Amino acid sequence: MTTISAPPTGHIGLNVTDLDRSLAFYRDVIGFEVTGEGADDGRRYAFLGREGTLALTLWQQASGAYDSGRAGLHHLSFEVESVDVVRDYERDLRAHGVEFAYDGVVPHGEGAASGGIFFHDPDGTRLEIYTRSGADTGTAPSGSAPTCGFF
């Protein structure tokens, strides 16, 4: 019997209601590079990446905001190298008027070293920017349950 290992995650595709607004957010606020844009029969899309690797595709085809009550994407998480970088993102996101699910950097669970910030994109898609260590000085908002699970 052949054992198949799970493939690594490739890019993520998000449906958006307004491509220009979402491009501005993911490019100017989150920091992705736009590697391509296009339109086909009035349908617009954009490819975003980092260091030449495709990470995110935006598809302008949603008619309404993200719905956390429907099956599908729960949240999108981005890993950074340190808690200081998470705090830099928090500062920049606040300067752009982004609202957060929790105040400041919070651990993934009580006593966990990993943690981050939790917020929403312009269409309400839940996002997380986290690091693997340095968040253990905060209080987890959900106790021992995963912080990223129910925001």
Side-chain angles (χ1 to χ4, degrees):
M1 175 181 273
T2 303
T3 303
I4 298 174
S5 61
T9 302
H11 71 279
I12 303 295
L14 294 179
N15 286 336
V16 300
T17 58
D18 181 329
L19 184 62
D20 294 325
R21 179 180 70 170
S22 292
L23 265 175
F25 178 80
Y26 284 100
R27 179 191 60 224
D28 302 339
V29 180
I30 303 296
F32 281 108
E33 303 162 4
V34 177
T35 60
E37 292 183 62
D40 180 21
D41 197 27
R43 299 175 299 181
R44 296 179 58 212
Y45 57 91
F47 300 120
L48 296 98
R50 182 171 176 249
E51 298 175 358
T53 300
L54 177 63
L56 188 62
T57 305
L58 304 176
W59 304 96
Q60 184 174 295
Q61 60 185 359
S63 60
Y66 174 81
D67 182 353
S68 64
R70 297 188 66 179
L73 179 73
H74 181 275
H75 73 284
L76 182 54
S77 178
F78 303 106
E79 182 179 352
V80 296
E81 59 273 5
S82 72
V83 73
D84 291 332
V85 175
V86 174
R87 288 189 182 107
D88 289 343
Y89 269 106
E90 178 188 16
R91 182 193 66 241
D92 292 350
L93 289 161
R94 287 192 190 281
H96 281 88
V98 172
E99 293 184 28
F100 290 77
Y102 309 112
D103 189 32
V105 176
V106 295
H108 279 132
E110 198 57 42
S114 64
I117 53 176
F118 301 85
F119 56 99
H120 299 84
D121 80 356
D123 282 311
T125 301
R126 297 185 282 198
L127 302 175
E128 168 188 11
I129 295 177
Y130 82 99
T131 189
R132 292 178 187 224
S133 63
D136 50 349
T137 59
T139 301
S142 301
S144 62
T147 297
C148 61
F150 300 102
F151 73 99

